[in-house]
Each structure stands twice: as structure tokens, then as C-alpha cells.
Amino acid sequence: MRAARPYGSIGRVLVTPTTRAALAAEVVELVAARPGRVRLVLDGPAPTRPDELADEIATALRTLGRATVVVDAADFLRPASVRLELGRTDSDALLERWLDEPALRREVLDPAEPGASGRVLPRLWDTRSDRAYRAAYTTIPDDGVVLLHGALLLGRGLPFELAVHLRMAAAALQRALPDELLWTVPAHVRYEEESDPAGAADLLVLADHPDRPAVQRRA
């Protein structure tokens, strides 16, 4: 397991404004610099639009000849009988019970490990129908990339080579979310406080204004 990175340590912090396109390009450079298979995690609440960033990065990587499979963490949630056992708006359950971590490891992250089979299942569970997708397995080459995107993903011990955390403060999240999703805010607050996603990330992005992000680094 990788050690946490020193974003929480004492030192000078550099915040560099950027654009969505430049951010995508920086992540592509990080991946391209690594030989072999890469498991990349894009972690951020829905208003930061990690799905759109994932698509941009995947397109650029494929242009460079790196076969890329994009995986949405929302396709690896537990069945409703487990996920919603404590109700539909339980913020602790959202953090602790919704993601099917064993399935995500078994079907995606472990087989995508450098040297493993490379045979991954891009999606598993359809939450709208509450049944399994009839998805086919795909095999990524030895220099391929698995790009996992979603929210509340870091600090769980999931295996990966690179991670980007799109941080949105609670106040910004409350402004950005529709009323029916405001119940999720406490889960994100607790996640930032307890799971230290910034410490697990290779790249920390301040995304209170998703169209005007900034990269935070230690000097």
C-alpha cells in the first residue's frame, strides 16, 4: 500500500490556477511517463465532473497509443437491499456501504495490476434496474490504462498507481448540488476529515469552481 503524500505537512503551499484542458493534459503527462499498466483514479464529488475529465484524458491517452478502459465507480455499487438498508438518505451508509470494494478489486483493479491478466469488467451493477449488467470482459494490453472515476474512492486501500483528487469545500458543494442530494454533503465532509484523500493523491485539485480549477502543491 502506498504511503500518504505530505499535503497535510507543514510547508509552503503553491496554488496554481489552471484550466480543465490543461489539467487533463497534466494528468495525461503523468500517465504517459509511466511504463507498463497504470491504474488511475479520478476522485471527486459529482459537481466537479470527474466523468467528463476522465473522457478527456482517455481520448488523449488513446491518441498516444495507450489503450484505456474507463470505469465509473457508480457501476460498482452494492445492490439496493444492502446499499439502502439504512434508508435512501443515510450519509454514513453512502460512505461506508454503497461501494462494492471487493467487486471493484476482483473485476477491475487486481486484474489490471502490472503483470496480471489484464482481463477487466468495465461495469457490474445497474442501480436503475438493480441487477447485473450483461457486460463483456475486455483485456487491456501490458501498457494499457484503467481509469476509474467517481466520488469517495480514496483512503480505502484500493490499489492504484496514480490518483487525482478534485476537492470541493462543503459550502461550494452545498451550492452546486441539487436540493435532493444535499443529504450527501456530510458524507463528503467526513470523507475529507477521516480518509485524507489529499494525502492519497498524486495531484490535488481545488475545484470549488470546476471550470476554474487550481492545482495545489508543496514547495
Side-chain angles (χ1 to χ4, degrees), residues 2 23 45 54 70 84 95 98 122 140 142 153 166 182 194 207 210:
R2 307 184 330 165
L23 176 60
V70 177
L84 306 178
L95 185 58
W98 281 43
I140 60 173
D142 291 343
L153 296 176
L166 304 168
L182 289 177
E194 297 180 6

Side-chain angles (χ1 to χ4, degrees), residues 78-90 93-94 97-98:
R78 291 189 169 99
S81 60
V82 177
R83 195 174 73 249
L84 306 178
E85 185 178 7
L86 302 179
R88 292 182 176 275
T89 59
D90 188 292
L94 174 63
R97 301 169 66 94
W98 281 43

Side-chain angles (χ1 to χ4, degrees), residues 44-216:
T48 66
R49 308 197 303 277
D51 54 338
E52 294 180 13
L53 187 61
D55 287 341
E56 288 184 50
I57 292 168
T59 298
L61 286 170
R62 291 166 186 148
T63 300
L64 295 176
R66 300 289 292 267
T68 302
V69 174
V70 177
V71 176
D72 186 345
D75 290 329
F76 282 84
L77 300 184
R78 291 189 169 99
S81 60
V82 177
R83 195 174 73 249
L84 306 178
E85 185 178 7
L86 302 179
R88 292 182 176 275
T89 59
D90 188 292
S91 63
D92 289 332
L94 174 63
L95 185 58
E96 299 169 0
R97 301 169 66 94
W98 281 43
L99 184 67
D100 192 343
E101 296 176 40
L104 192 54
R105 283 175 171 270
R106 181 183 68 248
E107 303 291 358
V108 179
L109 297 175
D110 287 347
E113 180 181 7
S117 69
R119 185 173 181 265
V120 303
L121 185 67
R123 57 182 188 169
L124 176 65
W125 197 258
D126 184 349
T127 56
R128 292 168 296 182
S129 63
D130 200 35
R131 64 181 61 185
Y133 284 110
R134 294 184 177 181
Y137 284 86
T138 185
T139 300
I140 60 173
D142 291 343
D143 65 347
V145 179
V146 162
L147 202 171
L148 172 66
H149 66 83
L152 309 173
L153 296 176
L154 301 178
R156 297 174 178 270
L158 295 174
F160 55 84
E161 280 65 57
L162 289 170
V164 178
H165 177 51
L166 304 168
R167 175 188 282 174
M168 179 174 271
L173 193 56
Q174 287 177 323
R175 292 191 298 268
L177 284 171
D179 289 347
E180 64 269 21
L181 292 179
L182 289 177
W183 67 271
T184 66
V185 173
H188 288 279
V189 171
R190 184 180 158 204
Y191 173 62
E192 292 287 345
E193 293 175 349
E194 297 180 6
S195 299
D196 187 26
D202 298 271
L203 198 63
L204 175 59
V205 181
L206 307 182
D208 285 359
H209 303 282
D211 292 322
R212 303 191 304 276
V215 176
Q216 179 174 308

